[in-house]
Amino acid sequence: MELKEKIKLTSNISIVSGVFILAVSLLLILNYLQINRNDVLDSKVIESLVEKLQDNPDNDALREEIRTYDLMARKAYFNSRWQVKTGSYLLLFAGILLIVSLRIYHSLTSKIEVPDQKSSNEGLDRILAQRWVLISTAAILVLALVAGFLTQDTFKVYGEDAVSAGVLTDEATEVVTEDENIQVIEISEAGEESSESINEDTSDEELAQSDNTEEVSEASKKASTTASAFPTKAQVENNYSSFRGPWGQGVSKHKNIPVDWDGASGKNILWKVKLPKTGFNSPIIWGDKLFMGGGDNSGLKVYCYNSNTGKLIWEKDVNNIQGSPATPPRTTDDTGLSAPSLTTDGNKVIAIFATGDIIAFDVNGNRLWAKNLGVPDNHYGHSSSLIMLKDKVYIQYDSNRQGKLIALNTSTGETVWETIRQAHISWSSPILIEVNGKFQVVLSSEPIVAGYDAETGKELWTNESMMGEVGPSPAFGEGLVFATNEYATLAAINPTNGETVWQNDEYLSEVPSPVVSNGLLFLATTYGVFVCYDAKTGEMYWEQEFDDGFYSSPVIADGKVFISDMRGVTHVMEVSKEAKVISNSPVGEKIVSTPAFAEGRIYIKSVNNLYCIGK
């Protein structure tokens, strides 16, 4: 290529990139000004509708209008974030291209000796004009990048103050009266009810245990020391120790699970217990003990029930913790203060709350330790559940400030290690997977799905495939990790190197976590579609539409998949390449928590009650 042609090419590139920078910069600046004048995520509209809904909680049309506004806000939020992020990257690329092309152009033109036909003043004017053009372009570029940065901050501020997904709960205005006694209701096959007050039958010893202001006793200290024998893999898999069961993977080995029940008639309902405090965590079970948490502005609690009878064994206040906030943080109605599920190893049970308080008891209710991790900067409320392996409890602590994975010693509460993550805020929960004989802790958030060494916390692999406000937890099966989120993707990831095996974006989940069994991947959506894929290839086998959406996650038990919709109906389907519905069983109340399983039993937590279902 001749010198003149090179000069012309670099000149054209400079002009095109300069015009492109001006255009994109102006668009970003206008976007920033428009958002500040007319907030696309205007919370006043939704807050006004929520106030009307509180006055008229049975207005389904109003509730649907709130859902519509919320969906529009979410779409506007993600579209704007994508535009700003993409525009910023394009600006940087165009800016670099402009600088390089101008540099080459200057280098080429300096080789040409131009006759001095113009006056010195004209040459000076030309130089000054070029400099002013460059300065003006650079100023606009910087201004656009600043506008892009401020635009992202605007969304962040909105997220801290807005009432968003919380208005979607059908029971948003219901409050469980905490002064009511916990009732165990035994229901016969004919549907006849008889009730007994747990408080009246509570022994003096149990009442003494419920005094939560007592100091950690010598007995509890001994319990934390002697309970050092860790459960085997078989013991973990024969219980239901964490959110979504063993290792958090959504698969239970229990058999003889009932598939047909009815809350209204009492069919196959062995007992039900009225929930004393609000808490959207899911029940966990070890042996004959079932654990849950609850919390409201008057206090936080941990409960232990007899899983066979529903009788309250003990309840403990979560209090007297150094650093705990005097006033609970603001949370939305569908998260609350006690959304994370507890975890247990059969010796200890550990709970965490939206206040940042984490507390450990032995299974007899003796307090072992407690600490505050710092109030999470989380505009919905902290909801990542805990999971335990040997002497460590793992906490996914992704907030607006920073992403991190924390491992605490289960006996002392001391920090074993803390890994800072290049991740944004999330509401998903960690899972444990075994790869080549070693356990990994796998987390999903924006923008990464990542695996960490369970012993050291070292990051082993990352996969940049997520975006938005990640709620679903990962799944594992067929040697692959599966992660998904609405407005993002469904990705199958190789946990040995972090590479994507396949992706699909036809059906995505906002809240429910996927699950894998027999080479099949199951995924539920908040708009009521349940989908089955080939786990290895991503081929979709079937889709089944139900009458209501899902917040609860699907669980595999006894060779079947159980999924509860928000209307309170649990759908039981075959684990099959064909859509085969076995039964649709209602409890008659809204369900957002995920069921727990034991041999011959399923435990379903509705908004108001805990049900034990068995044959």
Side-chain angles (χ1 to χ4, degrees):
M1 184 182 294
E2 295 183 359
L3 182 61
K4 289 184 179 180
E5 292 177 347
K6 292 180 180 179
I7 292 173
K8 185 178 181 180
L9 177 61
T10 54
S11 175
N12 290 338
I13 292 174
S14 300
I15 293 171
V16 171
S17 58
V19 171
F20 181 80
I21 287 173
L22 291 174
V24 176
S25 298
L26 289 173
L27 287 173
L28 278 178
I29 293 169
L30 290 173
N31 183 46
Y32 170 73
L33 294 174
Q34 182 181 8
I35 288 171
N36 278 271
R37 288 179 182 175
N38 303 302
D39 190 354
V40 294
L41 299 177
D42 186 13
S43 62
K44 294 181 181 179
V45 176
I46 296 180
E47 287 179 354
S48 175
L49 293 173
V50 171
E51 290 176 0
K52 293 180 181 179
L53 183 63
Q54 290 176 344
D55 296 332
N56 189 10
D58 297 326
N59 191 331
D60 292 334
L62 183 59
R63 183 177 290 109
E64 188 61 34
E65 186 177 359
I66 293 173
R67 285 196 177 100
T68 302
Y69 269 107
D70 183 74
L71 181 59
M72 291 170 60
R74 287 168 183 266
K75 288 183 177 179
Y77 170 76
F78 289 115
N79 287 337
S80 297
R81 286 192 63 179
W82 179 86
Q83 290 170 1
V84 171
K85 185 176 180 180
T86 304
S88 300
Y89 283 133
L90 289 173
L91 275 181
L92 287 174
F93 174 77
I96 293 170
L97 184 62
L98 177 62
I99 293 170
V100 172
S101 61
L102 286 175
R103 179 69 179 173
I104 297 174
Y105 176 80
H106 176 74
S107 176
L108 293 173
T109 54
S110 65
K111 298 177 181 179
I112 302 175
E113 295 182 1
V114 182
D116 188 14
Q117 298 176 347
K118 297 185 179 181
S119 68
S120 59
N121 288 338
E122 288 177 337
L124 179 63
D125 290 342
R126 182 177 178 182
I127 293 171
L128 290 174
Q130 289 175 343
R131 288 182 177 178
W132 277 112
V133 169
L134 290 173
I135 292 171
S136 300
T137 302
I140 293 175
L141 174 61
V142 171
L143 183 60
L145 289 173
V146 170
F149 175 77
L150 291 177
T151 302
Q152 289 178 319
D153 278 356
T154 300
F155 287 119
K156 179 180 175 181
V157 170
Y158 168 80
E160 294 172 354
D161 297 333
V163 177
S164 156
V167 301
L168 297 181
T169 59
D170 288 341
E171 307 296 336
T173 57
E174 289 192 13
V175 178
V176 179
T177 306
E178 64 183 59
D179 292 333
E180 293 180 4
N181 291 335
I182 302 172
Q183 298 291 321
V184 175
I185 303 174
E186 297 179 354
I187 306 179
S188 65
E189 283 294 320
E192 298 178 351
E193 301 184 3
S194 62
S195 64
E196 58 176 341
S197 171
I198 293 300
N199 289 3
E200 292 175 358
D201 290 342
T202 304
S203 67
D204 293 339
E205 181 181 355
E206 289 168 341
L207 289 173
Q209 284 185 348
S210 66
D211 182 5
N212 294 288
T213 61
E214 63 183 356
E215 298 294 330
V216 179
S217 65
E218 289 300 321
S220 66
K221 291 180 180 178
K222 290 180 180 178
S224 66
T225 303
T226 57
S228 59
F230 307 123
T232 63
K233 286 175 59 177
Q235 287 175 317
V236 172
E237 293 173 354
N238 286 328
N239 285 280
Y240 208 86
S241 56
S242 299
F243 172 59
R244 300 169 67 221
W247 321 122
Q249 295 178 14
V251 179
S252 170
K253 288 191 173 182
H254 295 110
K255 304 293 183 182
N256 302 314
I257 307 299
V259 296
D260 186 24
W261 60 87
D262 180 69
S265 66
K267 180 181 180 181
N268 284 336
I269 307 293
L270 301 182
W271 52 262
K272 75 174 182 179
V273 173
K274 185 173 180 60
L275 301 177
K277 279 185 181 290
T278 302
F280 296 119
N281 56 88
S282 300
I284 65 168
I285 304 167
W286 195 283
D288 61 356
K289 291 183 172 66
L290 181 149
F291 303 98
M292 296 186 305
D296 52 34
N297 288 336
S298 66
L300 308 173
K301 292 268 193 181
V302 173
Y303 302 97
C304 175
Y305 292 90
N306 184 300
S307 61
N308 295 318
T309 65
K311 184 174 181 178
L312 180 65
I313 300 174
W314 52 262
E315 62 175 302
K316 296 292 179 179
D317 288 318
V318 179
N319 58 13
N320 299 328
I321 300 175
Q322 185 176 4
S324 182
T327 303
R330 182 183 179 185
T331 62
T332 55
D333 291 327
D334 62 349
T335 303
L337 297 173
S338 184
S341 297
L342 291 67
T343 187
T344 182
D345 62 357
N347 295 314
K348 296 171 287 291
V349 58
I350 305 176
I352 191 170
F353 299 88
T355 55
D357 293 329
I358 182 168
I359 190 167
F361 299 93
D362 67 22
V363 292
N364 296 317
N366 296 305
R367 178 165 165 167
L368 303 177
W369 54 265
K371 65 191 302 183
N372 183 270
L373 301 175
V375 179
D377 181 8
N378 191 320
H379 44 277
Y380 296 143
H382 182 72
S383 65
S384 296
S385 297
L386 302 173
I387 196 163
M388 194 186 302
L389 177 65
K390 295 183 178 179
D391 61 343
K392 298 179 185 66
V393 58
Y394 302 98
I395 309 157
Q396 184 171 352
Y397 221 55
D398 295 339
S399 71
N400 283 313
R401 294 195 187 105
Q402 192 178 57
K404 65 173 76 170
L405 173 62
I406 304 171
L408 302 182
N409 184 283
T410 58
S411 295
T412 65
E414 295 178 355
T415 301
V416 180
W417 48 256
E418 183 177 291
T419 300
I420 304 302
R421 296 161 22 79
Q422 300 303 313
H424 303 307
I425 187 170
S426 70
W427 291 262
S428 63
S429 299
I431 68 170
L432 287 164
I433 69 172
E434 191 173 11
V435 179
N436 297 327
K438 287 190 174 183
F439 274 98
Q440 297 182 12
V441 188
V442 178
L443 281 66
S444 179
S445 61
E446 184 191 9
I448 61 170
V449 185
Y452 301 86
D453 187 291
E455 277 297 315
T456 66
K458 178 183 177 182
E459 184 179 272
L460 301 175
W461 57 268
T462 61
N463 179 285
E464 191 168 337
S465 56
M466 291 296 106
M467 68 173 291
E469 299 179 330
V470 179
S473 302
F476 180 69
E478 300 300 321
L480 299 174
V481 168
F482 301 89
T484 186
N485 193 48
E486 198 168 36
Y487 307 114
T489 189
L490 168 62
I493 303 165
N494 185 336
T496 62
N497 54 26
E499 293 182 357
T500 301
V501 177
W502 59 262
Q503 282 185 289
N504 189 301
D505 59 2
E506 184 173 0
Y507 289 106
L508 302 174
S509 173
E510 182 186 13
V511 178
S513 306
V515 67
V516 183
S517 178
N518 290 347
L520 303 176
L521 171 69
F522 298 93
L523 183 144
T525 70
T526 50
Y527 44 88
V529 179
F530 195 51
V531 193
C532 175
Y533 296 91
D534 185 296
K536 291 184 177 180
T537 66
E539 177 189 356
M540 188 175 72
Y541 288 128
W542 52 262
E543 56 188 89
Q544 179 77 31
E545 187 169 357
F546 293 102
D547 293 335
D548 210 332
F550 303 100
Y551 265 23
S552 173
S553 296
V555 177
I556 305 294
D558 200 12
K560 307 171 187 69
V561 57
F562 294 74
I563 177 68
S564 301
D565 66 28
M566 284 187 276
R567 192 177 54 172
V569 179
T570 300
H571 309 282
V572 185
M573 302 189 69
E574 288 188 10
V575 177
S576 170
K577 293 181 180 180
E578 297 179 3
K580 297 179 181 179
V581 179
I582 298 172
S583 64
N584 303 292
S585 300
V587 295
E589 299 180 59
K590 183 184 177 87
I591 297 174
V592 296
S593 300
T594 298
F597 294 81
E599 194 68 21
R601 305 280 180 90
I602 177 172
Y603 297 84
I604 295 179
K605 185 179 180 183
S606 70
V607 171
N608 298 314
N609 293 285
L610 172 66
Y611 292 83
C612 175
I613 299 164
K615 297 179 181 177

